[in-house]
């Protein structure tokens, strides 16, 4: 070992020095000079950031000491009292000792021990052992949006912009408060108290389900009536969108959902199978439909995946586009639903409602794919008057995250209420009823033709996006990795996951979801576009109530549809002017019926 290099590090250098001295080559300096030189070298290494390698290896606590420290933790002691056969094992992870306690192969407790002080820094039992997202770590989701000085002002802006300040006791104002009510559950989630946060999400979901069903059945009522002018609403919406995008670029991270999208896009770009072909650090990321990964593909080509879970600029860019597309589709939908100034006002309300709502920003700051579903469903509504486009749009949404499949019966049979739109087969002439209204009649041949066109659009998209997964790795693997994986998911983020005895209720809700999905295909017989939006939101909320894993990111699946229904509701009468209509321009079209889509 004359070169003084070897696996022993410092010991090799000592042996090398001894050999050189024995050989008479460059004898060591006198002891005082050697001590001074050693002091200089140690000081330099410490300053260079080598404390872990130069000073006692940077580790004072060994494995046995770490287990002994963890055994004294109160949570661990309680768990060992309930399960006397618990066995412990320790492993060095991310710069600390992680001590796990197992029985029959199941990990029941975990404690993190500092390698220098030997103190337990964290300890977890129950579902917080396996689910790190249930531990309340700051910045895991939403990042800076969770800060009170960001989240609370955004809630305040949302209320100031959309509340009808002329009549505060209106139900639409209550709707806005309930939409922000998810924040109560969210507060406890951020504290790591999932046992409280999960149940608190269900009252808001149930209320919104009831409102959607009520609006979808009646089709009329008093919706959102903000006092601000179109100009103020649009300016505020554009400012908020710029703020959100800037926050995403400056302070946002991609969770496993965005990471999975980029990895899937990389597999597609290289001609590899997507399913059952993911890296170990996101092994279950292939749980989405192929459209999800195709949506990330253009961005992954611009910012190729590095092979690791880094900043993922492709995931950031994709999430920003999904968010902007949803914003743009809401504006177009508002203009489509109503003509003239009334449509401009509706578009401004919808744009502001998306930009100001905290949980649409939450999805953006987490860089997930959830706003993709919102954008695809809004695009489907925009094209709803044309059956083939409606089928294609719903197929894209379905093969992205599967949940929109509950909308298939209603969208297949729906025809626009009101006058015949361009591209629709004209109905035969009919006589007026005694009320003076023309009864909506659709000839059976024309209705069947619409079903066929819808089916053609849906099947065409399905064939395009599903051919490659069907070939490689095959439909069975695709099903096992996606639908079966999600259906069999065990998660503490639902009532059903926390309390298994409630499973019969969940099964009943699943049956109700299927029954209403079929029922809405025929009732109400005549549905306006806002009714379709409301009933679509109702079905998605009902489906979410049955999920084994529910999270705040899923709110954006139904929120834009609910927003359309609330904002497009026609009032039975307008209140008298009060002076609170800040800068509001007169709009003769406000009392007119909504124009049909298309």
């Amino acid at each position: 070992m004359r070169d003084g290099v070897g696996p022993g590090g410092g010991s090799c250098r000592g042996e090398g020095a001894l050999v050189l001295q024995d050989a008479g080559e460059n004898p060591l300096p006198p002891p005082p000079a050697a001590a001074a030189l050693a002091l200089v070298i140690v000081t330099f290494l410490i300053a260079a950031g080598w404390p872990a390698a130069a000073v006692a290896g940077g580790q004072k606590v060994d494995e046995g000491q770490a287990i002994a420290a963890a055994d004294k933790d109160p949570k661990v002691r309680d768990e060992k009292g309930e399960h006397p056969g618990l066995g412990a094992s320790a492993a060095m992870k991310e710069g600390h000792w992680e001590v796990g306690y197992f029985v029959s192969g199941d990990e029941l407790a975990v404690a993190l021990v500092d390698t220098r002080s030997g103190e337990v820094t964290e300890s977890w039992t129950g579902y917080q052992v396996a689910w790190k997202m249930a531990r309340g770590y700051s910045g895991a989701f939403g990042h800076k949006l969770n800060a009170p000085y960001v989240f609370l002002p955004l809630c305040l802006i949302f209320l100031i912009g959309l509340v009808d300040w002329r009549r505060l006791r209106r139900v639409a104002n209550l709707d806005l408060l309930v939409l922000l009510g998810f924040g109560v559950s969210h507060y406890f989630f951020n504290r790591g108290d999932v046992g409280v946060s999960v149940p608190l999400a269900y009252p808001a979901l149930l209320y919104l389900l009831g409102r959607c069903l009520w609006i979808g059945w009646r089709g009329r009522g008093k919706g959102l009536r903000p006092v601000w002018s179109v100009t103020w609403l649009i300016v505020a919406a554009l400012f908020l969108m710029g703020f959100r995008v800037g926050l995403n670029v400056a302070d946002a991270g991609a969770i496993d959902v965005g990471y999975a999208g980029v990895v899937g896009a990389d597999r597609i770009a290289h001609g590899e199978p997507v399913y059952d072909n993911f890296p170990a650090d996101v092994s279950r990321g292939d749980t989405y439909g192929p459209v999800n990964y195709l949506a990330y593909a253009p961005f992954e080509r611009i910012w190729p995946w590095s092979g690791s879970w880094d900043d993922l600029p492709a995931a950031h860019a994709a999430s920003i586009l999904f968010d902007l597309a949803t914003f743009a589709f809401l504006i177009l939908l508002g203009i489509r639903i109503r003509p003239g100034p009334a449509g401009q006002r509706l578009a401004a309300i919808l744009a502001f409602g998306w930009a100001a709502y905290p949980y649409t920003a939450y999805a953006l700051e987490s860089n997930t794919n959830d706003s993709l579903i919102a954008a695809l469903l809004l695009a489907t509504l925009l094209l709803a008057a044309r059956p083939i486009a409606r089928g294609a749009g719903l197929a894209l949404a379905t093969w992205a995250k599967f949940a929109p499949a509950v909308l298939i019966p209603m969208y297949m049979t729906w025809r626009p209420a009101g006058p015949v739109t361009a591209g629709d087969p004209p109905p035969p002439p009919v006589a007026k009823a005694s009320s003076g209204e023309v009864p909506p009649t659709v000839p059976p041949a024309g209705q069947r033709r619409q079903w066929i066109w819808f089916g053609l659009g849906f099947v065409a998209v399905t064939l395009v996006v599903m051919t490659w997964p069907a070939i490689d790795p095959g439909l069975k693997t695709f099903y096992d990795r996606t639908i079966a994986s999600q259906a069999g998911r065990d998660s503490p983020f639902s009532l059903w996951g926390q309390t298994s005895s409630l499973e019969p209720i969940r099964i009943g809700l699943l049956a109700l979801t299927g029954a209403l999905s079929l029922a809405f295909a025929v009732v109400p017989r005549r549905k306006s576009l806002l009714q379709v939006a409301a009933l679509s939101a109702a079905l998605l909320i009902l489906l979410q109530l049955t999920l084994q894993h529910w999270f705040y990111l899923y709110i954006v699946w139904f929120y834009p549809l609910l927003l359309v229904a609330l904002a497009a509701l026609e009032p039975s009468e307008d209140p008298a002017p009060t002076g609170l209509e800040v800068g509001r321009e007169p709009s003769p079209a406000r009392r007119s019926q909504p124009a049909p889509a298309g």
Side-chain angles (χ1 to χ4, degrees):
M1 298 183 66
R2 296 181 64 86
D3 58 0
V5 177
S11 61
C12 292
R13 286 191 292 271
E15 293 174 3
L18 181 61
V19 171
L20 289 174
Q21 189 177 21
D22 290 345
E25 301 176 6
N26 300 323
L28 288 174
L37 178 61
L39 181 61
V40 171
I41 292 174
V42 170
T43 304
F44 173 77
L45 291 178
I46 293 175
W50 285 19
V55 183
Q59 179 181 322
K60 297 180 179 180
V61 178
D62 61 22
E63 180 179 354
Q65 292 171 325
I67 294 176
D71 286 341
K72 299 176 183 178
D73 182 79
K75 292 182 181 178
V76 173
R77 285 204 306 266
D78 291 344
E79 201 67 32
K80 293 181 76 172
E82 296 179 13
H83 304 87
L86 274 181
S89 66
M92 182 66 67
K93 294 183 180 180
E94 300 178 356
H96 56 246
W97 285 109
E98 183 172 304
V99 183
Y101 291 84
F102 299 84
V103 61
S104 301
D106 295 327
E107 190 174 17
L108 302 185
V110 63
L112 307 185
V113 180
D114 185 80
T115 57
R116 290 182 173 274
S117 65
E119 295 180 355
V120 175
T121 57
E122 299 178 24
S123 60
W124 308 99
T125 59
Y127 40 73
Q128 290 173 311
V129 173
W131 288 85
K132 289 186 177 181
M133 65 181 286
R135 299 179 184 178
Y137 291 146
S138 62
F141 298 89
H143 287 257
K144 192 63 75 175
L145 192 72
N146 289 299
Y149 56 82
V150 177
F151 190 87
L152 294 179
L154 201 56
C155 293
L156 188 61
I157 292 171
F158 179 76
L159 286 177
I160 290 175
L162 294 179
V163 162
D164 184 353
W165 296 100
R166 300 161 300 174
R167 294 187 176 181
L168 293 177
R169 298 177 66 179
R170 295 183 59 237
V171 68
N173 294 337
L174 177 60
D175 296 338
L176 298 175
L177 290 174
V178 173
L179 282 167
L180 294 178
F182 289 107
V184 179
S185 167
H186 193 179
Y187 168 78
F188 287 99
F189 165 75
N190 284 339
R191 291 168 55 91
D193 198 347
V194 182
V196 176
S197 69
V198 168
L200 285 177
Y202 285 82
L205 288 171
L206 289 170
Y207 173 89
L208 295 175
L209 171 63
R211 278 292 282 158
C212 289
L213 291 173
W214 179 260
I215 295 171
W217 188 260
R218 295 185 72 239
R220 293 189 64 81
K222 296 181 180 180
L224 298 176
R225 292 295 177 268
V227 300
W228 308 98
S229 69
V230 170
T231 302
W232 279 109
L233 289 172
I234 287 293
V235 168
L238 292 175
F239 171 80
L240 289 169
M241 290 300 292
F243 170 77
R244 289 151 59 111
V245 172
L247 195 61
N248 180 283
V249 174
D251 181 77
I255 63 173
D256 56 348
V257 177
Y259 181 30
V262 174
V263 173
D266 174 81
R267 298 292 186 259
I268 292 172
H270 290 88
E272 301 177 17
V274 172
Y275 298 96
D276 203 15
N277 188 32
F278 267 51
D281 57 352
V282 64
S283 60
R284 304 304 301 179
D286 56 350
T287 189
Y288 307 112
V291 171
N292 174 71
Y293 306 109
L294 289 168
Y296 281 85
F299 306 100
E300 196 277 333
R301 290 294 81 203
I302 299 173
W303 295 280
W305 179 44
S306 65
S308 63
W309 195 338
D310 53 18
D311 290 338
L312 299 172
H316 284 255
S319 294
I320 290 172
L321 180 68
F322 301 157
D323 190 65
L324 293 176
T326 306
F327 180 76
F329 289 156
L330 283 169
I331 293 175
L332 293 175
L333 198 56
I335 297 172
R336 174 67 62 87
I337 291 175
R338 289 182 186 161
Q344 296 172 12
R345 180 163 187 79
L346 177 58
I349 294 172
L350 294 175
F352 180 87
W354 176 264
Y357 189 47
Y359 287 100
T360 62
Y362 191 71
L364 176 60
E365 300 314 306
S366 300
N367 287 295
T368 72
N369 56 19
D370 297 283
S371 293
L372 172 63
I373 304 305
L376 291 174
L377 290 177
L378 289 176
T380 303
L381 281 184
L382 272 170
L383 303 171
R386 293 163 177 79
I388 191 168
R390 188 166 73 238
L394 190 57
L396 288 172
T398 298
W399 293 116
K401 286 196 94 164
F402 306 115
V406 297
L407 308 179
I408 292 174
M410 180 171 63
Y411 280 58
M412 182 176 68
T413 60
W414 179 71
R415 278 178 59 88
V420 176
T421 56
D424 287 337
V430 293
K432 287 188 176 182
S434 58
S435 62
E437 296 182 356
V438 177
T441 60
V442 179
Q447 191 174 45
R448 286 194 295 270
R449 193 157 51 245
Q450 285 207 65
W451 296 355
I452 292 172
W453 282 115
F454 176 90
L456 285 175
F458 195 96
V459 170
V461 169
T462 299
L463 290 174
V464 170
V465 302
M466 284 299 298
T467 297
W468 179 243
I471 295 173
D472 189 5
L475 290 178
K476 183 180 184 306
T477 301
F478 169 80
Y479 174 80
D480 290 341
R481 302 294 297 182
T482 56
I483 299 173
S485 174
Q486 294 190 32
R489 193 175 190 179
D490 185 20
S491 166
F493 289 94
S494 69
L495 288 176
W496 333 114
Q498 292 189 7
T499 310
S500 58
S501 61
L502 297 177
E503 182 65 12
I505 299 177
R506 190 182 81 89
I507 294 175
L509 288 174
L510 275 172
L512 178 61
T513 303
L516 288 181
S517 175
L518 296 174
F520 290 161
V522 292
V523 294
R525 252 186 99 190
R526 186 182 186 185
K527 293 189 269 292
S528 65
L529 195 62
L530 78 87
Q531 285 178 285
V532 172
L535 294 176
S536 298
L539 286 173
L540 291 173
I541 294 173
L542 190 54
L543 181 64
Q544 289 189 18
L545 286 170
T546 71
L547 295 180
Q548 290 280 9
H549 180 85
W550 183 90
F551 199 58
Y552 310 100
L553 298 170
Y554 301 169
I555 296 172
V556 298
W557 297 5
F558 64 80
Y559 172 69
L561 301 171
L562 173 60
L563 182 63
V564 169
L566 290 175
L569 274 176
E570 282 290 320
S572 56
E573 61 179 3
D574 283 339
T578 64
L580 285 174
E581 298 181 336
V582 182
R584 186 168 178 174
E585 54 282 282
S587 175
R590 285 178 63 208
R591 293 181 174 85
S592 62
Q593 295 288 340

